[in-house]
Amino acid sequence: MENIKIPSHVGIIMDGNGRWAEKRGKNRSYGHKQGSANVDAIVTHAFESGVKSLTLYAFSCENWARPKEEVDELMKLLKIYFKKFIKKVVNNDVRLRVIGGREELKPDLIKVIEDGENATKDNKKNNLNIAINYGGRQEVVRAVNKLIEQNQPITDQNISKNLDTAHCGDPDLIIRTGGEYRVSNFLLYQGAYSELYFTDVLWPDFNEVEFDKAIQSFGQRKRRFGKV
Ligand code: IPE
Ligand code: IPE
Ligand code: MG
């Protein structure tokens, strides 16, 4: 894709795993497995395309309300894939971070997350943020509480500086797969001026070609930021 404007920070709402599986007469877990397996290819492709930072929505604060077996399966998969990811990104100059509320996660998952963050802390080329137990509203509340604790004024700049994605700047483009036209509590504050791209393609089917379509669409947008 030559001469195309590449977004620096891309957020992806990876939706549609359950429906992908149900269409095939399988259980939702099967869809989550396929969805997890798809992450690697998209991450690699996005960074190769010139995207600097990626934020992937893997588990929302509201997803805890799903049946316990599904939540357990998702947590298991997150642990397995995060471990795999560490090995892959550590040598590719990718800095891995998990964003969202950490306290509610199980100690064994926290351990894997901390290992990954530590192993990649000196990496500089790309940022990969995985949103786990993440919610945009909860993130703003955390940021504001931090400011209150530090006795700092509540300003737009200070809130922005204390968001989980402060190290990447605001997302330029947010992609949602799975056919729903909503943001489901993802990057609410920093997404104020993000370009949105929705596709009906379910996450396990979202491939490099589909990613390029989103980038092409972004390249055609005229971002005005309120100006003329
Ligand atoms: C996205 O797929 C993964 C998570 C939310 C964890 P879904 O599980 O929401 O799949 P659908 O939307 O039910 O198809
Ligand atoms: C958003 O998908 C969360 C993730 C992709 C992790 P959901 O499936 O949870 O969103 P809703 O329920 O359709 O809004
Ligand atoms: Mg969904």
Side-chain angles (χ1 to χ4, degrees):
M1 287 198 298
E2 278 159 42
N3 301 325
I4 276 275
K5 204 168 43 179
I6 302 292
S8 169
H9 180 188
V10 177
I12 308 183
I13 302 171
M14 307 182 290
D15 193 29
N17 293 345
R19 279 163 288 160
W20 186 91
E22 281 155 16
K23 270 185 16 189
R24 286 160 179 78
K26 309 263 190 190
N27 61 13
R28 295 178 57 86
S29 289
Y30 181 71
H32 292 315
K33 250 180 230 146
Q34 289 295 316
S36 311
N38 195 34
V39 173
D40 191 358
I42 296 302
V43 168
T44 304
H45 182 67
F47 290 154
E48 277 173 9
S49 304
V51 170
K52 164 101 180 146
S53 307
L54 262 183
T55 301
L56 305 180
Y57 204 6
F59 191 89
S60 75
C61 294
E62 290 74 29
N63 289 148
W64 293 110
R66 294 187 178 197
K68 186 181 180 298
E69 312 82 74
E70 182 170 347
V71 170
D72 288 349
E73 175 71 17
L74 280 164
M75 289 297 141
K76 200 179 89 192
L77 286 169
L78 282 169
K79 207 173 91 183
I80 295 171
Y81 279 91
F82 200 83
K83 247 188 194 161
K84 268 197 188 161
F85 254 102
I86 301 174
K87 283 200 199 110
K88 161 127 193 182
V89 301
V90 71
N91 298 318
N92 286 347
D93 210 7
V94 176
R95 182 152 178 193
L96 203 51
R97 290 179 178 90
V98 168
I99 66 167
R102 188 115 357 146
E103 295 84 49
E104 292 86 353
L105 304 179
K106 289 235 176 80
D108 56 338
L109 179 58
I110 295 178
K111 168 87 173 64
V112 176
I113 290 170
E114 286 174 350
D115 288 349
E117 290 181 335
N118 285 332
T120 62
K121 70 180 188 324
D122 297 320
N123 288 357
K124 294 209 158 52
K125 188 170 154 278
N126 294 110
N127 295 300
L128 178 57
N129 310 314
I130 316 276
I132 303 177
N133 185 30
Y134 174 87
R137 289 182 174 182
Q138 292 81 347
E139 178 191 32
V140 172
V141 171
R142 263 191 284 114
V144 171
N145 277 323
K146 234 185 272 169
L147 293 173
I148 294 170
E149 254 168 52
Q150 297 164 1
N151 210 10
Q152 289 186 58
I154 313 296
T155 62
D156 173 22
Q157 213 190 15
N158 280 344
I159 291 173
S160 292
K161 270 201 283 191
N162 282 281
L163 294 178
D164 297 351
T165 58
H167 56 281
C168 308
D170 291 345
D172 301 291
L173 170 67
I174 295 177
I175 298 171
R176 181 174 187 139
T177 66
E180 308 290 359
Y181 295 86
R182 54 178 174 253
V183 289
S184 303
N185 209 5
F186 187 52
L187 306 180
L188 296 185
Y189 196 92
Q190 54 277 68
Y193 275 97
S194 301
E195 295 298 323
L196 305 177
Y197 179 86
F198 297 99
T199 171
D200 288 340
V201 175
L202 304 172
W203 173 252
D205 290 329
F206 188 80
N207 58 18
E208 288 90 341
V209 173
E210 297 298 332
F211 182 86
D212 288 351
K213 285 186 198 165
I215 300 297
Q216 295 274 1
S217 170
F218 175 83
Q220 284 155 15
R221 311 278 179 99
K222 174 94 183 78
R223 302 183 80 187
R224 280 185 286 277
F225 298 98
K227 298 173 228 166
V228 288

